[in-house]
């Protein structure tokens, strides 16, 4: 190959079959996560498409030999290699789904070297592309086996030429959900013209789907829906309206001023306004004045507003929590609450007798109950042992924790007990100091989060995707950075969402955070805004340092007990106010925030929903200031 052929972009197209080379590009780097002192973390190399329509990448030092590859598998104890970069981002105890064994007959990614890989284009499932606002472009390829390949960083440009070359052999169609994700189809794909059955939305089976999600939730979750959407788009869209007909195929497509040649920057597309300043109020310290002569709560919404603004003083928590968690209806009288407590006490002890009356011999034939008991006993022995209520041996608090969790298995035997539920119960038991009341408060709490613990993990996947939607709208550059370091799945947030930040804040802070979240103000997904607030508070440390996947995970885990709750809450509320004030907020963001409810009526429109929420928060802030004037100035 001549020197002239490598000039400018050092790009070569070879059309002669004898050379068996269709495309080649130098200056494509792999940023490794390997912790090896004798190796660089940035490896220069070539990307090629060869005549057998295979995409290859190999290090510069491997030039002259066939392109090798890395085999990405999860260790299953039956051979194969372990993916040293795989880490779900949370402790093994939080892996509710068991390790999944791959049952595919072939792995299209060939293993013949340390870093290189080779993937037939027919086995390409998806392509994600992104760039930093001040950095270089990178592409992430995912195989049909669900294995994301290492991100490839184009230090010298050339992404447009690569996409044009790929488009000669496959169709790349943009996902309607994620503008940076493209699904790959063969040109003669029959799936797009077949029935929905033959579209194979879950063609890899449920178990493999979970494994694929942990590695790449975008391609896994969006991919199935995109197949349906693309089925209609192919029939309804004019040929010249295809995304790639405007970019990869059309050399005359005008470039944006800040684009590297051949790369289209895809962002939220909406300019967010300034983020407002938010102040927190004082804890609610009055209760009796909100009750009428019969004991009914006169203004439940006002109570929620005050709790959201400042929390509750410790002496009132035991009473107010029972309303926030649905043990007592807001409109119940004092007499009705006495009746409710009596009925619920009888019901609790009937369920408790059920498991306590099971003999050891019976339990030996009930593996499910035996398994629940074993998990509960193990978790109880290590739950909040630093708290005096649960510390020491033979502590009655531990006995109550065990008994309430065992009784919950009788209440909801389908779900039973899953690791993490003990973390939800311990603050309830600590505040109520009552076995029956803590149980029914737990059932109310589980109504909000029980889907987190279901084996399918669909709710956890959905929340991680919603968190990604929010973060992309708020901070596309941070998202691109996380993508480039194999952290775009946000799986390191799994534990945050599973047990509502229980391990991230101090015990006292968790009491405040949970009562704020139980108000469901300003939206049901406020816990996702809490996560956004934490991530954005760390963006300088993440982007400004030489982090890779492993060090990002380490940094996030080390935030435990170092976060300032009031600052995080102010940030989360400010993010919400900033988003709802955007007049062109993307529909997906509106849906996450609960601002968009499909309806033909005027009052259910997104604009009126946003206005109503803004009014509620404005009244809440003003009311908090006036009601707390007697208690002292509002804390910043």
């Amino acid at each position: 190959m001549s020197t002239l052929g490598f000039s400018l972009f050092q790009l070569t197209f070879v059309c002669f079959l004898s050379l068996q080379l269709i495309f080649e590009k130098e200056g494509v780097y792999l940023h490794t996560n390997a912790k090896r002192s004798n190796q660089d973390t940035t490896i220069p190399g070539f990307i090629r498409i060869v005549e057998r329509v295979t995409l290859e990448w190999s290090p510069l030092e491997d030039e002259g030999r066939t392109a090798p590859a890395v085999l990405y598998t999860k260790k299953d104890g039956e051979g194969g290699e372990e993916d040293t970069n795989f880490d779900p981002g949370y402790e093994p105890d939080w892996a509710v789904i068991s390790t999944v064994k791959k049952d595919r007959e072939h792995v299209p990614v060939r293993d013949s070297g340390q870093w290189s890989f080779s993937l037939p284009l027919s086995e390409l499932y998806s392509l994600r592309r992104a760039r930093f606002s001040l950095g270089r472009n990178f592409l992430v390829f995912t195989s049909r086996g669900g294995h994301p390949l290492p991100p490839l960083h184009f230090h010298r440009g050339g992404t447009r030429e690569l996409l044009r070359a790929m488009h000669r052999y496959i169709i790349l169609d943009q996902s309607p959900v994620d503008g940076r994700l493209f699904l790959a189809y063969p040109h003669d794909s029959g799936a797009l013209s077949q029935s929905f059955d033959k579209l194979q939305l879950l063609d890899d089976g449920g178990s493999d789907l979970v494994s694929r999600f942990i590695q790449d939730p975008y391609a896994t979750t969006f991919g199935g829906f995109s197949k349906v959407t693309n089925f209609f788009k192919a029939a309804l869209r004019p040929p010249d309206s295809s995304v790639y007909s405007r970019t990869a195929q059309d050399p005359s497509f005008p470039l944006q001023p800040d684009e590297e040649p051949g790369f289209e920057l895809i962002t939220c597309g909406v300019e967010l306004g300034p983020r407002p300043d938010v102040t927190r109020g004082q804890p609610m310290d009055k209760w009796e004045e909100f009750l009428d002569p019969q004991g009914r709560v006169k203004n439940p919404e006002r109570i929620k507003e005050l709790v959201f603004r400042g929390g509750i003083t410790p002496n009132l928590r035991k009473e107010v929590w029972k309303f926030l968690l649905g043990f007592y209806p807001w409109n119940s009288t004092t007499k009705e609450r006495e009746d409710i407590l009596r009925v619920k006490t009888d019901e609790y002890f009937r369920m408790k007798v059920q498991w306590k009356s099971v003999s050891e011999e019976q339990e030996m034939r009930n593996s499910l109950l035996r398994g629940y008991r074993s998990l509960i006993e193990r978790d109880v022995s290590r739950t909040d042992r630093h708290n005096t209520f649960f510390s020491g041996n033979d502590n009655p608090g531990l006995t109550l924790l065990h008994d309430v969790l065992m009784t919950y298995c009788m209440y909801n035997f389908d779900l039973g007990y899953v690791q993490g539920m003990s973390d939800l119960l311990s603050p309830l038991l600590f505040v109520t100091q009552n076995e029956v009341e803590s149980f029914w408060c737990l059932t109310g709490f589980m109504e909000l989060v029980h889907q987190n613990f279901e084996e399918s993990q669909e709710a956890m996947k959905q929340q991680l995707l919603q968190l990604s939607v929010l973060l992309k709208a708020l901070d596309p550059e941070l998202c691109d950075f996380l993508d480039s370091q194999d952290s775009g799945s946000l799986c390191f947030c799994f534990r945050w969402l599973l047990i509502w930040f229980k391990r991230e804040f101090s015990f006292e802070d968790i009491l405040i955070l949970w009562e704020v979240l139980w108000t469901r103000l300003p939206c049901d997904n406020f816990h996702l805004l809490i996560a956004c607030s934490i991530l954005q508070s760390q963006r300088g440390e993440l982007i400004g340092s030489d982090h890779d996947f492993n060090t990002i995970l380490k940094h996030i885990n080390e935030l435990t007990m170092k976060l300032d709750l009031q600052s995080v809450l102010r940030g989360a509320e400010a993010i919400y106010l900033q988003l709802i004030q955007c007049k062109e907020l993307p529909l997906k963001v509106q849906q996450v925030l609960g601002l968009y409810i499909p309806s033909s009526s005027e009052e259910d429109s997104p604009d009126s929903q946003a206005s109503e929420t803004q009014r509620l928060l404005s009244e809440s802030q003003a009311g908090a200031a006036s009601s707390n004037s007697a208690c002292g100035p509002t804390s910043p």
Side-chain angles (χ1 to χ4, degrees):
M1 193 173 299
S2 66
T3 305
L4 179 61
F6 274 112
S7 61
L8 192 53
F9 298 112
Q10 300 203 343
L11 204 56
T12 303
F13 283 95
V14 180
C15 300
F16 300 105
L17 294 178
S18 59
L19 296 178
Q20 296 186 344
L21 186 64
I22 298 167
F23 172 88
E24 184 177 68
K25 177 70 182 73
E26 188 185 6
V28 180
Y29 285 69
L30 188 150
H31 296 189
T32 91
N33 297 329
K35 293 184 176 179
R36 298 179 175 90
S37 58
N38 61 338
Q39 290 188 339
D40 294 331
T41 59
T42 302
I43 303 176
F46 288 85
I47 190 166
R48 299 183 178 92
I49 299 178
V50 297
E51 184 190 4
R52 63 181 182 273
V53 196
T54 297
L55 185 72
E56 299 181 347
W57 183 90
S58 60
L60 196 57
E61 62 186 25
D62 285 352
E63 177 63 11
R65 68 184 197 191
T66 35
V70 178
L71 175 64
Y72 285 86
T73 63
K74 189 76 169 67
K75 193 173 187 179
D76 60 13
E78 296 182 1
E81 298 181 22
E82 182 181 7
D83 174 10
T84 56
N85 291 333
F86 178 86
D87 194 319
Y90 46 87
E91 304 171 29
D93 283 349
W94 305 111
V96 181
I97 302 301
S98 301
T99 300
V100 179
K101 294 183 180 180
K102 306 294 190 301
D103 56 3
R104 292 177 66 89
E105 295 181 358
H106 68 282
V107 179
V109 185
R110 305 297 178 186
D111 182 14
S112 58
Q114 186 171 8
W115 292 115
S116 304
F117 60 79
S118 173
L119 177 69
L121 289 183
S122 61
E123 291 292 342
L124 178 64
Y125 181 74
S126 69
L127 159 68
R128 180 134 38 89
R129 59 179 187 170
R131 70 174 296 187
F132 303 132
S133 60
L134 299 176
R136 302 182 179 93
N137 310 315
F138 64 91
L139 300 178
V140 180
F141 299 92
T142 300
S143 73
R144 293 195 180 278
H147 308 295
L149 303 178
L152 296 179
H153 298 252
F154 287 71
H155 288 201
R156 304 176 187 176
T159 52
R160 178 187 290 273
E161 289 81 359
L162 174 62
L163 297 180
R164 185 186 296 125
M166 293 174 62
H167 198 72
R168 295 166 56 189
Y169 303 98
I170 58 175
I171 297 172
L172 292 171
D173 213 350
Q174 186 179 29
S175 166
V177 185
D178 185 345
R180 297 176 300 173
L181 179 69
F182 292 82
L183 284 303
Y185 305 98
H187 276 298
D188 59 349
S189 174
L192 293 177
S193 60
Q194 301 301 319
S195 67
F196 287 118
D197 250 359
K198 295 182 181 179
L199 287 175
Q200 300 177 346
L201 298 183
L202 299 176
D203 50 356
D204 291 319
S207 297
D208 191 49
L209 193 67
V210 172
S211 175
R212 285 173 52 189
F213 167 79
I214 291 177
Q215 297 181 56
D216 191 345
Y218 303 99
T220 304
T221 305
F222 294 161
F225 295 107
S226 296
K227 287 183 182 180
V228 178
T229 305
N230 292 328
F231 175 79
F232 292 105
K233 285 169 65 180
L236 301 177
R237 183 178 55 204
D240 60 352
S241 68
S242 170
V243 172
Y244 272 136
S245 68
R246 299 195 309 270
T247 58
Q249 287 183 304
D250 185 5
S252 63
F253 181 71
L255 299 175
Q256 297 299 319
D258 61 343
E259 286 185 323
E260 167 259 313
F263 199 90
E264 177 187 4
L265 175 60
I266 299 175
T267 64
C268 174
V270 174
E271 285 291 332
L272 299 178
R275 189 167 296 178
D277 293 328
V278 172
T279 58
R280 300 282 300 160
Q282 295 293 326
M284 188 186 75
D285 60 355
K286 296 179 176 60
W287 177 248
E288 295 298 328
E289 66 183 42
F290 289 100
L291 304 179
D292 68 11
Q294 286 74 42
R296 297 185 185 89
V297 178
K298 293 183 290 187
N299 192 343
E301 294 308 313
R302 180 63 179 150
I303 295 288
K304 294 178 184 178
E305 291 167 7
L306 292 174
V307 174
F308 173 77
R309 184 63 48 202
I312 308 169
T313 54
N315 62 305
L316 293 181
R317 278 192 177 122
K318 179 176 180 178
E319 189 65 22
V320 181
W321 278 21
K322 287 181 280 189
F323 287 87
L324 290 173
L325 292 170
F327 182 34
Y328 292 147
W330 291 98
N331 62 350
S332 61
T333 64
T334 302
K335 177 61 170 62
E336 288 169 342
R337 291 195 288 273
E338 292 172 355
D339 294 338
I340 289 171
L341 180 58
R342 183 174 62 255
V343 171
K344 291 293 187 181
T345 299
D346 291 343
E347 185 176 353
Y348 172 80
F349 282 107
R350 280 199 303 271
M351 290 185 290
K352 184 175 181 179
V353 166
Q354 291 175 359
W355 65 265
K356 288 189 74 71
S357 62
V358 174
S359 66
E360 291 185 10
E361 184 179 356
Q362 285 178 298
E363 191 168 313
M364 288 300 296
R365 293 190 294 270
N366 190 331
S367 60
L368 196 57
L369 180 62
R370 191 167 66 250
Y372 288 156
R373 185 191 296 274
S374 175
L375 282 175
I376 289 171
E377 289 175 350
R378 186 178 70 171
D379 282 3
V380 163
S381 66
R382 58 186 184 181
T383 298
D384 290 324
R385 298 305 300 274
H386 60 279
N387 189 299
T388 55
F389 191 79
F390 303 104
S391 63
N393 298 322
D394 301 322
N395 189 314
L398 296 179
T399 303
L400 292 178
L401 197 62
H402 171 274
D403 289 359
V404 170
L405 292 171
M406 284 296 297
T407 305
Y408 185 83
C409 291
M410 298 294 106
Y411 174 81
N412 187 351
F413 211 88
D414 286 340
L415 179 61
Y417 178 79
V418 180
Q419 289 172 331
M421 290 168 57
S422 63
D423 279 280
L424 302 186
L425 173 60
S426 60
L428 303 176
L429 192 54
F430 173 80
V431 168
T432 61
Q433 307 274 307
N434 181 281
E435 181 178 3
V436 174
E437 292 177 353
S438 66
F439 171 83
W440 291 109
C441 285
L442 176 65
T443 63
F445 196 177
M446 289 299 294
E447 284 296 312
L448 301 177
V449 299
H450 71 92
Q451 291 180 331
N452 291 2
F453 298 92
E454 292 177 353
E455 186 175 3
S456 69
Q457 293 290 277
E458 290 300 324
M460 291 301 300
K461 299 179 213 173
Q462 179 66 16
Q463 289 175 77
L464 286 170
L465 291 170
Q466 290 174 332
L467 178 57
S468 176
V469 167
L470 292 175
L471 198 60
K472 286 174 189 172
L474 292 166
D475 200 334
E477 184 179 4
L478 178 58
C479 283
D480 287 346
F481 170 77
L482 294 173
D483 276 340
S484 72
Q485 303 302 324
D486 297 337
S487 301
S489 65
L490 302 179
C491 280
F492 49 77
C493 300
F494 185 96
R495 186 177 70 187
W496 295 2
L497 307 183
L498 179 72
I499 53 174
W500 277 19
F501 309 94
K502 173 62 161 51
R503 299 288 183 91
E504 320 314 317
F505 294 95
S506 68
F507 195 87
E508 181 57 36
D509 278 348
I510 279 298
L511 305 183
I512 300 171
L513 175 59
W514 283 3
E515 60 200 15
V516 167
L517 292 174
W518 291 335
T519 67
R520 316 305 282 163
L521 293 176
C523 63
D524 287 350
N525 281 327
F526 191 62
H527 65 295
L528 299 182
L529 297 175
I530 295 286
C532 287
S533 178
I534 296 173
L535 289 173
Q536 285 208 290
S537 73
Q538 302 300 310
R539 81 182 305 276
E541 168 63 27
L542 293 174
I543 296 180
S545 302
D546 187 22
H547 279 298
D548 59 18
F549 176 88
N550 296 312
T551 56
I552 289 173
L553 179 62
K554 181 175 183 290
H555 176 76
I556 295 297
N557 285 338
E558 288 176 350
L559 294 177
T560 300
M561 304 301 164
K562 296 179 182 178
L563 298 167
D564 179 70
L565 176 63
Q566 294 304 320
S567 176
V568 169
L569 287 172
R570 287 195 298 268
E573 185 181 355
I575 288 172
Y576 178 80
L577 294 174
Q578 180 188 30
L579 289 174
I580 67 171
Q581 289 167 2
C582 177
K583 297 186 181 301
E584 298 180 354
L585 196 63
L587 181 61
K588 286 293 178 184
V589 179
Q590 293 185 44
Q591 290 174 334
V592 173
L593 298 180
L595 302 177
Y596 176 74
I597 302 175
S599 173
S600 58
S601 60
E602 180 69 21
E603 61 271 14
D604 287 337
S605 68
D607 288 341
S608 62
Q609 288 280 337
S611 301
E612 174 64 18
T613 307
Q614 177 64 62
R615 181 197 63 78
L616 176 63
L617 285 178
S618 298
E619 290 179 359
S620 172
Q621 190 165 359
S626 62
S627 66
N628 290 318
S629 59
C631 302
T634 301
S635 61

